[in-house]
Amino acid sequence: MEITPFYEKKTKCINCNHPFTTTKIRSRFVRVTSTDSDFRPVYVDEEINPMFYNVSVCPSCGFAFTDDTSPYFPPGAKDIIQKNVTAKWNGRSFSAIRTMDEAIETYKLAYLSATLKKEKPISIAGTTLRIAWLYRSKEDVEEEQRFLTIARNMYADSYSEGDYVGTQMSETRVLYVIAELSRRIGDEDEAIRSFSRVIEQQRTSLEPHIVEMAKERWREMREEKEARS
C-alpha cells in the first residue's frame, strides 16, 4: 500500500469535548527549500505544507485551536465563545485536505477563538504571523501587511508581559521578531530599537545565529537609508 503525505489524526475539542478527526502531514514528506528573514519556511511543494494543518477546527462548536492553545478557559470564556462562534456556526468541517484559502480561514477562526478566550499574546502572535505568511504565499501584500502589524503588536505585548517565558520563544528571538516585523511594516524606529537590543545580547545570548541575523538586517537597513539620502 502506498503511503501518502496525509494522515488523519483523532482529536477532541478543548472547548466542547466533541471528538473529531483532523488531517496532518507526515514529517518525512516535508521539504523546506529556504526560510525568510522572519522565519517563514518555504516548502518545495506548496501542496505539502504542514502549516495548512496546524489549526484544528471543531465541526460541532466551531472553536479553533492549535497545539499551543492552553486547555484553561477563564471564567465566562465558554459563554462568550458560545455566543460569538457556536451560535453562528453551521457545522462546517475542515477535516479533509485544505486549500490555501481554507487554511487561512482556519487560522482566522483560531485568531477569533484565541481572542475571545483571552489566550496569551505569544500564542495569538504566532497565529497572526502565520496568517501573514500565508498571504505572502498568495502575494496579497495588503493583507500580509495587516497581519504582520497585528503579529508585531502581539509580540510586543508578549515581550512587555513576559508571557513567552517557558515557551519555545527566547527573549532574543522575541526581540528579533519584533524588530524584523517592524522593519517589514515600515516602522524603522521600532526596528532599530529592537535590533539594537538583540545585538546588545551578543555576549550572553544562547542563539548567536539570531544575533548575526539582527546584524545583517541592521546593515541592510543602514544601506537602504544611505541609498535614499
Side-chain angles (χ1 to χ4, degrees):
M1 192 178 76
E2 189 189 353
I3 296 175
T4 73
F6 305 97
Y7 69 96
E8 287 191 344
K9 181 188 175 187
K10 289 180 179 174
T11 189
K12 190 186 272 191
C13 178
I14 62 171
N15 178 52
C16 75
N17 288 325
H18 176 76
F20 63 100
T21 59
T22 188
T23 298
K24 295 286 183 186
I25 291 183
R26 290 185 172 90
S27 55
R28 77 178 96 155
F29 288 92
V30 176
R31 300 277 185 276
V32 177
T33 56
S34 61
T35 307
D36 290 350
S37 56
D38 60 355
F39 303 117
R40 176 184 81 120
V42 180
Y43 296 98
V44 171
D45 185 346
E46 196 56 74
E47 302 288 310
I48 305 173
N49 184 338
M51 221 182 341
F52 283 17
Y53 303 96
N54 271 347
V55 178
S56 299
V57 182
C58 177
S60 178
C61 73
F63 185 78
F65 56 98
T66 69
D67 290 344
D68 295 329
T69 307
S70 160
Y72 170 74
F73 284 75
K78 290 199 175 192
D79 292 337
I80 293 167
I81 291 159
Q82 167 64 35
K83 184 179 164 187
N84 291 280
V85 179
T86 310
K88 300 169 185 175
W89 188 244
N90 56 9
R92 278 193 72 189
S93 172
F94 287 94
S95 293
I97 292 171
R98 295 172 184 169
T99 63
M100 172 86 73
D101 287 338
E102 285 169 340
I104 289 171
E105 214 176 324
T106 66
Y107 276 101
K108 286 183 173 178
L109 282 166
Y111 175 38
L112 172 64
S113 297
T115 305
L116 295 172
K117 182 180 176 290
K118 293 187 167 53
E119 194 71 15
K120 287 180 178 179
I122 192 68
S123 178
I124 298 174
T127 298
T128 49
L129 180 55
R130 282 165 179 79
I131 298 173
W133 288 348
L134 291 172
Y135 276 121
R136 187 178 306 160
S137 298
K138 282 191 75 171
E139 298 180 355
D140 186 332
V141 176
E142 195 177 323
E143 286 299 292
E144 180 196 343
Q145 287 285 307
R146 181 160 84 91
F147 281 97
L148 285 177
T149 304
I150 296 168
R152 192 283 304 266
N153 294 341
M154 295 312 294
Y155 278 114
D157 288 349
S158 173
Y159 181 71
S160 61
E161 291 175 24
D163 74 9
Y164 60 88
V165 176
T167 72
Q168 293 175 328
M169 296 289 285
S170 63
E171 181 183 356
T172 307
R173 193 172 280 252
V174 171
L175 278 171
Y176 174 86
V177 172
I178 292 168
E180 175 57 11
L181 300 188
S182 297
R183 182 182 79 86
R184 283 175 175 266
I185 62 175
D187 185 349
E188 285 189 10
D189 292 344
E190 183 53 59
I192 288 166
R193 200 160 38 238
S194 292
F195 279 136
S196 301
R197 283 175 173 164
V198 175
I199 295 163
E200 281 164 14
Q201 295 182 358
Q202 60 188 336
R203 295 190 199 285
T204 56
S205 176
L206 299 173
E207 296 172 294
H209 65 290
I210 293 181
V211 175
E212 286 308 310
M213 285 172 74
K215 288 179 180 176
E216 216 174 290
R217 300 288 87 70
W218 175 278
R219 275 195 297 272
E220 282 172 14
M221 286 184 72
R222 203 172 56 214
E223 283 164 14
E224 284 166 12
K225 206 168 188 177
E226 283 168 7
R228 286 200 304 266
S229 58

